[in-house]
Amino acid sequence: VPLRLLDGFEGVLQTDGYAGYNRVCRENTITRIGCWDPARRKFVEASKAAPTKKKGTKVSKADVAIGKIRKLYAIEKRIKDLPAAEKTQQRQQLAQPVLDDLKAWLEKNSTRVPRDSLTYKAIQYTLNQWDLLTGYCQDGKLHISNVLAENAIRPFAVGRKNWLFADTPRGAKASATV
């Protein structure tokens, strides 16, 4: 499906880790970059699944990763109104050290968590997607996240699920009217 939909497209494609985009990017002149939202979401899920923390206990590894990723988003918030060239420079100066620290932390901790844990899966996802996730730093016109595109299509995704319940033509017409 991505091959058909993106036939003839040239430019930058920002996606999650879905492997279906690999072929279309190889066969067309498409540069692929990643989106930090799915990586961050995996750590949030791992944090929520962790045992309840008691006062005075150490922060979970998932929470540490979330804190590091949060720094990247904070940098983006600070530089959002800058011209593209200046954004690129600021990312190299401010985000690159955070990214270097995060990668070193991920590599160090990938062997310190159980292989069947959500934290391990989040770490592996992030490391496997690393080159794509850091692609936004190369060009100030790119974004850390594709949330704008996701928000634009959300009504269709939600609607698609709702439309499945229109089991009669009359019910479908009533749903469409509403």
Side-chain angles (χ1 to χ4, degrees), residues 3-90:
L3 198 56
R4 184 176 40 91
L5 288 175
L6 296 169
D7 185 42
F9 173 76
E10 293 180 6
V12 177
L13 178 65
Q14 187 170 32
T15 68
D16 59 10
Y18 175 60
Y21 294 109
N22 293 341
R23 183 174 166 206
V24 72
C25 290
R26 261 194 326 270
E27 293 182 13
N28 295 293
T29 338
I30 298 175
T31 301
R32 184 174 174 200
I33 66 168
C35 173
W36 273 97
D37 290 347
R40 181 178 59 179
R41 195 174 305 122
K42 289 181 185 303
F43 285 109
V44 168
E45 289 168 3
S47 175
K48 287 180 181 176
T52 307
K53 297 169 196 73
K54 295 181 177 130
K55 196 171 187 172
T57 60
K58 290 174 80 172
V59 177
S60 74
K61 291 192 183 330
D63 288 329
V64 172
I66 292 166
K68 291 176 183 294
I69 294 168
R70 192 174 286 136
K71 289 179 185 177
L72 295 171
Y73 280 84
I75 292 166
E76 289 303 302
K77 187 175 182 178
R78 266 188 291 170
I79 67 172
K80 73 178 180 173
D81 295 326
L82 296 177
E86 205 170 325
K87 260 190 202 177
T88 304
Q89 179 188 14
Q90 289 294 304

Side-chain angles (χ1 to χ4, degrees), residues 133-151:
L133 290 171
T134 58
Y136 79 99
C137 288
Q138 306 309 312
D139 185 342
K141 291 180 269 181
L142 303 177
H143 300 276
I144 191 170
S145 158
N146 66 356
V147 72
L148 296 175
E150 288 185 10
N151 286 344

Side-chain angles (χ1 to χ4, degrees), residues 111-178:
T111 59
R112 296 180 175 184
V113 294
R115 293 178 78 87
D116 62 343
S117 70
L118 290 175
T119 301
Y120 178 83
K121 290 174 184 170
I123 289 172
Q124 291 308 306
Y125 175 87
T126 306
L127 288 172
N128 290 339
Q129 298 294 314
W130 191 259
D131 291 339
L132 299 175
L133 290 171
T134 58
Y136 79 99
C137 288
Q138 306 309 312
D139 185 342
K141 291 180 269 181
L142 303 177
H143 300 276
I144 191 170
S145 158
N146 66 356
V147 72
L148 296 175
E150 288 185 10
N151 286 344
I153 65 169
R154 183 166 287 115
F156 301 105
V158 171
R160 183 182 65 231
K161 289 181 182 176
N162 292 338
W163 299 324
L164 292 174
F165 296 104
D167 57 351
T168 66
R170 191 171 164 199
K173 185 173 178 155
S175 294
T177 303
V178 170

